[in-house]
């Protein structure tokens, strides 16, 4: 596997969020508290193979709230 396929990704809950957002697999659920909870401004960092990022999902308690991300290769 090529070294360039690996990277670190920081997922950042928007500071304008008013409640938690959850990061997880396809079954992530804010209403069930299933996933990794991020409060407004919270950061979750992962080391990932680029092709694996398509399996990350976000769900928010409040409709329209979300995350941003920074990719480090």
């Amino acid at each position: 596997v090529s070294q360039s396929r690996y990277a670190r990704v920081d997922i950042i809950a928007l500071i304008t969020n008013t409640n938690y957002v959850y990061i997880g697999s396809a079954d992530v659920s804010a209403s069930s508290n299933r996933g990794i909870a991020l409060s407004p401004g919270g950061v979750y960092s992962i080391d990932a193979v680029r092709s694996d990022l398509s399996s990350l999902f976000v769900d928010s308690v409040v409709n329209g709230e979300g995350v941003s991300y920074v990719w480090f290769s």
Side-chain angles (χ1 to χ4, degrees), residues 1-24:
V1 175
S2 168
Q3 184 71 15
S4 64
R5 291 191 62 210
Y6 291 93
R8 188 183 93 215
V9 179
D10 288 350
I11 301 168
I12 306 119
L14 300 177
I15 60 170
T16 55
N17 290 349
T18 59
N19 211 319
Y20 290 99
V21 292
Y22 289 80
I23 309 299

